[in-house]
Amino acid sequence: MSGSASSKKSCCSCSPLFSSSIGRKWIVALTGIVLVLFLIGHLLGNLSIFLGPDAMNAYAAFLKSTEELLWVVRIVLLTCVVLHIWFTITLWHENKRARPQKYAVKNELGTTVYARLMRISGLTVLAFVLYHLAQFTWQSFNPEYKTWVDAQGRHDVYRMVVTAFSCPFVSGFYLIAVGLLGMHLSHGIASLFQTLGLSNQKLRPVLERGGLILAWILFVGFASIPASVLLGLVKVTSGLPSCPVCH
Amino acid sequence: MSTMNFHLRLWKQKSASDQGKFIEIHATEIPSECSFLEMLDIVNNRLTKEGKEPVSFASDCREGICGTCHMVINGVPQGPGRGAACQVYMRKFTNGQTITVEPFRAGAFPIVKDLVVNRSAYDRIIRSGGFITEHTGGAPDASAILIPKPVADAAMDAAACIGCGACAAACPNSSAMLFVGAKVTHLGLLPQGQGERKKRARSMVRTMQEEGFGNCSNYYACEAVCPAGVKADVISMLNREYVRGELSVAVGAID
């Protein structure tokens, strides 16, 4: 039918919902919703640090006590992350191919800086998430974290976090990552409504403003923790913090 | 009548397989009330008189209706301001300004010559679903089918699309979603378009992909350049219509 048509066919047996342009974008949007909801929950939990060591360690112990449920959440999140990234990469690959020759005069034309930086911000956040898991969940950089317990015999998460963030490099990377995460969400949140067909001329400014506000709330919320540690507002009462990088 | 001078950088390319390069032209004594295409006509007449080959560009109605003219002026498909390239006037530029004119850059729009690209990909997308089935014959009574005013208005806004290709040319991903969205919205909203409604979005999106257009990243560059003022609402509607169509097929709904 067409001479210039590329030979790209939708993958044999599966529904075009998983291979078409729009179907894959829906998956990216839907997994994005799950990840944003996780971020909100994660932030609310993390803010328990401002209630003191007892509150945070109790919260951490509660999470650990729901081991089975925790695994369900982990598997769902991992699946969402993989799908979100995989489909973005395949879409991006096609987008690159669709514009073989660039314009001599570049014009941004209505696009926002957040939209243009989605890949950079997303990949940096991915690198950060892996580091973040290695640091606090697997505790591979500082195995001694595993031995820290508080007076009630619970894992001393509070001391671990304060100790880690007292290093300016650790806090610095964290701040950059949550900053880029905020930028990613500044485009992503409003964008997902458009992709799911839930936006129009009247709603779009509201959704864009709302997305920006939620992105800022998440950024300020997450950034407040290392910032407070660096400023000495949150500190450990027993034992000197030892910086994992500087020591 | 005041005249103006411009420094033009015009794209010259023999054929799709040729490399292509910019040629620099000092266009002097251009009447300020010229349209952009008239300015190119003057430049081409002078080139012809000098025995040089003129720069090819496409145009037809020169009234902003037909969507034939297509070029990128200083990085903006169809040039600055609303309307197609033929609606750009030289008085909008400053005297002595450098103006770079390039063809649309999209893999799905191969270059024919100089500033002219082949936009048949849009025709093939239309052929795959941008139509309705209707009896021919005498014109029906205009009020025989009742259509609520807001629906008629929204369909008419989408029907303003002239299929010029500026959306795909402006999109960093060379996506044709604004064009396809305009057709799917226009026909899908009206009672006359219901027959093919579920098939339409699926079929047109499939052809769009096969033609090698990119995917929408919600940059809204298309909306910023559309000479017909089509809004990205139509993309939102296309996203809805498409998934609705695919889900209908997946659950075995009739048609």
Side-chain angles (χ1 to χ4, degrees):
Chain A
M1 180 172 172
S2 93
S4 62
S6 68
S7 58
K8 171 122 181 50
K9 285 274 175 290
S10 56
C11 90
C12 46
S13 57
C14 62
S15 163
L17 280 172
F18 304 103
S19 59
S20 69
S21 172
I22 294 174
R24 284 176 292 162
K25 277 162 51 61
W26 267 59
I27 294 170
V28 174
L30 292 171
T31 51
I33 293 179
V34 174
L35 297 174
V36 170
L37 291 176
F38 163 74
L39 283 175
I40 295 170
H42 188 44
L43 175 62
L44 290 174
N46 285 3
L47 290 178
S48 65
I49 196 168
F50 292 111
L51 300 174
D54 186 52
M56 187 169 217
N57 292 347
Y59 164 69
F62 162 72
L63 278 191
K64 282 281 180 189
S65 70
T66 60
E67 192 69 9
E68 295 84 353
L69 190 65
L70 204 56
W71 272 109
V72 174
V73 173
R74 281 170 181 159
I75 290 166
V76 168
L77 286 175
L78 183 65
T79 312
C80 285
V81 167
V82 169
L83 292 175
H84 194 79
I85 295 170
W86 170 250
F87 284 115
T88 308
I89 289 173
T90 65
L91 290 164
W92 175 69
H93 177 68
E94 290 169 21
N95 296 344
K96 291 289 278 183
R97 231 178 21 189
R99 166 77 38 91
Q101 189 164 1
K102 300 264 172 281
Y103 285 109
V105 180
K106 233 179 125 79
N107 200 320
E108 304 301 1
L109 295 167
T111 67
T112 62
V113 63
Y114 308 126
R116 292 195 298 276
L117 291 178
M118 283 306 267
R119 284 180 297 275
I120 301 280
S121 57
L123 289 173
T124 313
V125 169
L126 172 67
F128 166 76
V129 167
L130 294 174
Y131 169 78
H132 191 61
L133 287 172
Q135 185 178 28
F136 289 140
T137 308
W138 306 322
Q139 297 157 0
S140 11
F141 304 134
N142 302 76
E144 72 270 19
Y145 286 169
K146 292 190 175 79
T147 62
W148 292 359
V149 287
D150 66 1
Q152 281 91 345
R154 298 172 303 208
H155 182 220
D156 200 346
V157 175
Y158 181 87
R159 187 178 159 203
M160 173 177 81
V161 171
V162 175
T163 307
F165 282 150
S166 56
C167 171
F169 294 106
V170 172
S171 288
F173 183 35
Y174 187 94
L175 288 171
I176 291 169
V178 292
L180 284 166
L181 176 68
M183 292 175 76
H184 198 74
L185 297 178
S186 300
H187 175 73
I189 294 172
S191 187
L192 72 87
F193 285 94
Q194 170 79 359
T195 297
L196 297 177
L198 301 173
S199 178
N200 61 33
Q201 214 57 32
K202 266 192 200 142
L203 276 174
R204 209 206 307 164
V206 180
L207 293 169
E208 278 173 357
R209 180 66 59 87
L212 204 59
I213 291 171
L214 182 52
W216 268 103
I217 289 174
L218 287 168
F219 166 69
V220 171
F222 281 115
S224 69
I225 296 167
S228 304
V229 173
L230 282 182
L231 294 171
L233 301 173
V234 170
K235 49 193 164 206
V236 280
T237 43
S238 62
L240 283 170
S242 71
C243 174
V245 175
C246 312
H247 286 243
Chain B
M1 186 169 81
S2 63
T3 64
M4 300 174 84
N5 302 325
F6 300 101
H7 175 226
L8 300 178
R9 293 172 70 222
L10 306 177
W11 187 258
K12 278 296 279 180
Q13 183 169 346
K14 279 199 183 74
S15 65
S17 54
D18 186 47
Q19 265 281 287
K21 63 173 194 314
F22 283 107
I23 56 163
E24 316 257 334
I25 292 174
H26 285 282
T28 54
E29 291 180 33
I30 302 293
S32 58
E33 43 288 275
C34 265
S35 75
F36 198 83
L37 301 190
E38 284 164 348
M39 182 276 293
L40 288 178
D41 288 337
I42 294 173
V43 168
N44 274 344
N45 279 338
R46 290 178 188 167
L47 284 172
T48 311
K49 272 184 196 152
E50 289 166 22
K52 292 177 187 159
E53 199 187 352
V55 176
S56 298
F57 64 93
S59 76
D60 192 2
C61 77
R62 298 206 176 189
E63 291 180 322
I65 298 167
C66 75
T68 303
C69 56
H70 56 270
M71 56 187 73
V72 178
I73 304 168
N74 284 342
V76 183
Q78 303 295 38
R82 276 276 178 242
C86 58
Q87 304 298 295
V88 176
Y89 292 91
M90 297 321 290
R91 57 175 180 268
K92 296 282 179 195
F93 297 89
T94 54
N95 198 13
Q97 192 180 342
T98 299
I99 305 172
T100 306
V101 191
E102 304 172 72
F104 281 1
R105 299 284 187 205
F109 292 153
I111 289 182
V112 176
K113 195 181 180 194
D114 300 345
L115 300 172
V116 183
V117 300
N118 183 345
R119 295 170 301 145
S120 316
Y122 269 18
D123 298 335
R124 289 188 288 270
I125 293 175
I126 288 289
R127 205 193 294 162
S128 72
F131 54 82
I132 61 162
T133 310
E134 190 57 280
H135 289 295
T136 55
D141 184 357
S143 57
I145 302 172
L146 299 179
I147 303 168
K149 180 80 165 80
V151 175
D153 284 349
M156 201 56 211
D157 288 345
C161 170
I162 53 176
C164 67
C167 42
C171 177
N173 304 342
S174 293
S175 173
M177 288 281 280
L178 194 73
F179 168 72
V180 178
K183 304 304 166 193
V184 164
T185 302
H186 162 209
L187 301 174
L189 284 176
L190 296 174
Q192 293 92 332
Q194 297 310 303
E196 294 87 357
R197 184 171 172 187
K198 280 182 192 149
K199 236 185 220 164
R200 185 176 296 118
R202 284 192 299 132
S203 175
M204 291 180 84
V205 167
R206 194 187 313 121
T207 312
M208 175 186 88
Q209 281 184 267
E210 284 170 1
E211 291 291 344
F213 289 103
N215 308 292
C216 177
S217 290
N218 304 330
Y219 287 120
Y220 304 116
C222 51
E223 188 186 72
V225 300
C226 177
V230 174
K231 299 291 174 209
D233 289 23
V234 300
I235 298 180
S236 182
M237 167 124 176
L238 172 61
N239 288 330
R240 264 196 319 269
E241 287 286 299
Y242 178 82
V243 171
R244 194 168 132 144
E246 286 298 355
L247 285 177
S248 303
V249 172
V251 300
I254 294 164
D255 95 350

